[in-house]
Amino acid sequence: MEISDIEGQAGAFNGFASVRVSGFDDIGQLVDAVREARTAVPESRVLITLDDIDQAAYTSMHAWEADDLEVPDDEWGAPSDGEQWDEAADERHELAQASRLARLLAERRGTVPLEGLAERLMTSERDVAALVKVNAEPNLLLDRVSHLLTVPVDADDLVLAGAPNGYFSGDLDVFANHALAWHLQQRHGYRLFGEGASWLGFERDHPLGQEEAAAVVADLISAYGAPDAPGWAELAQVIRGKDLLLLGYTENYVDL
């Protein structure tokens, strides 16, 4: 696996991308990279890209354009008329937006019921089967390159403030993704470690036992719906004994 500095370079996922990772062939290597980075930057939180980095960056760019994420020009030092918009202005703008989003996410902790997420995803049996497939074969999510983002927030659940996503109407947006991440963290000890164009990656310190796996799946049924889908029982068996959990968050995550 090759790791190189990408901070401030053209082609980075966004202004929080600090490291380029390549030459990996197992998702466990990406998890290890995140865990190592956590110890190196304890004052921040880290997130690594998963499936389809280019599409993830594109939709994240548009997700940033939501009206409720915009910060007034006079609050972050936007260039005035006639002044050039340079890299320093870009950095100030991204930091201001991430700070605002982190505050909004923190304010909404625990206020979004899981049952409300199912109305957006419209889950079918085929979608549940995709959750089973990817959790059984997590390397399906690997792209040829991943970028590790260092986000200046002080809590694991707020790392999405550096990479909001979920751009289309049938996707879970950043607030819904945060609600899911917060619940999995509080109830089951998961931390969000990765985000792709359609999938989220969670990891925990210890593998799931049988009863723990059943409890996780019960909560996922609340979040995704389709309670009669036969794949849920299979998913409980697939994630048992593992410390990773991979969840689709877009209307087309099954297409992977």
Side-chain angles (χ1 to χ4, degrees):
M1 186 169 67
E2 300 178 8
I3 296 177
S4 58
D5 185 13
I6 196 174
E7 188 171 6
Q9 295 182 21
F13 183 92
N14 64 24
F16 299 111
S18 58
V19 171
R20 180 182 188 272
V21 184
S22 61
F24 48 83
D25 56 14
D26 188 89
I27 199 168
Q29 293 173 286
L30 299 186
V31 177
D32 288 343
V34 169
R35 289 174 174 171
E36 290 179 13
R38 285 188 186 131
T39 64
V41 288
E43 72 285 355
S44 298
R45 295 299 184 270
V46 293
L47 184 72
I48 203 161
T49 64
L50 297 175
D51 57 291
D52 200 343
I53 185 174
D54 293 333
Q55 180 66 20
Y58 176 78
T59 50
S60 182
M61 175 185 67
H62 284 293
W64 273 123
E65 296 172 351
D67 291 340
D68 54 353
L69 302 189
E70 190 53 67
V71 180
D73 289 352
D74 58 357
E75 291 186 14
W76 66 269
S80 59
D81 292 342
E83 289 185 316
Q84 182 178 2
W85 189 296
D86 55 14
E87 291 184 9
D90 275 336
E91 182 177 350
R92 292 197 306 273
H93 187 222
E94 285 190 323
L95 285 171
Q97 283 190 297
S99 179
R100 172 178 171 76
L101 179 52
R103 291 195 301 272
L104 292 173
L105 295 177
E107 291 170 358
R108 300 187 190 195
R109 284 173 173 147
T111 65
V112 181
L114 289 182
E115 292 78 7
L117 307 185
E119 298 175 1
R120 302 191 62 165
L121 285 174
M122 302 295 289
T123 302
S124 67
E125 290 187 4
R126 183 167 174 257
D127 296 314
V128 180
L131 296 178
V132 174
K133 176 74 171 177
V134 170
N135 278 279
E137 302 178 52
N139 290 341
L140 289 171
L141 294 190
L142 298 183
D143 203 342
R144 57 186 176 79
V145 169
S146 288
H147 289 178
L148 191 146
L149 283 62
T150 300
V151 185
V153 293
D154 60 3
D156 291 329
D157 65 295
L158 302 181
V159 71
L160 285 171
N165 224 316
Y167 169 60
F168 298 104
S169 60
D171 301 344
L172 298 184
D173 64 13
V174 63
F175 297 106
N177 282 334
H178 174 260
L180 183 60
W182 175 251
H183 184 90
L184 290 172
Q185 177 179 305
Q186 295 302 109
R187 286 284 300 274
H188 306 292
Y190 282 106
R191 286 174 301 229
L192 182 67
F193 79 87
E195 177 191 57
S198 297
W199 290 78
L200 302 173
F202 300 87
E203 54 93 15
R204 67 197 304 267
D205 291 335
H206 306 289
L208 288 173
Q210 183 172 350
E211 291 184 0
E212 291 174 314
V216 169
V217 168
D219 283 343
L220 293 180
I221 291 173
S222 294
Y224 281 77
D228 297 327
W232 289 122
E234 187 176 356
L235 182 63
Q237 296 302 313
V238 166
I239 65 175
R240 186 181 66 180
K242 295 183 178 180
D243 58 3
L244 295 185
L245 178 66
L246 304 164
L247 299 175
Y249 72 91
T250 63
E251 61 183 348
N252 65 340
Y253 69 81
V254 68
D255 293 338
L256 181 70

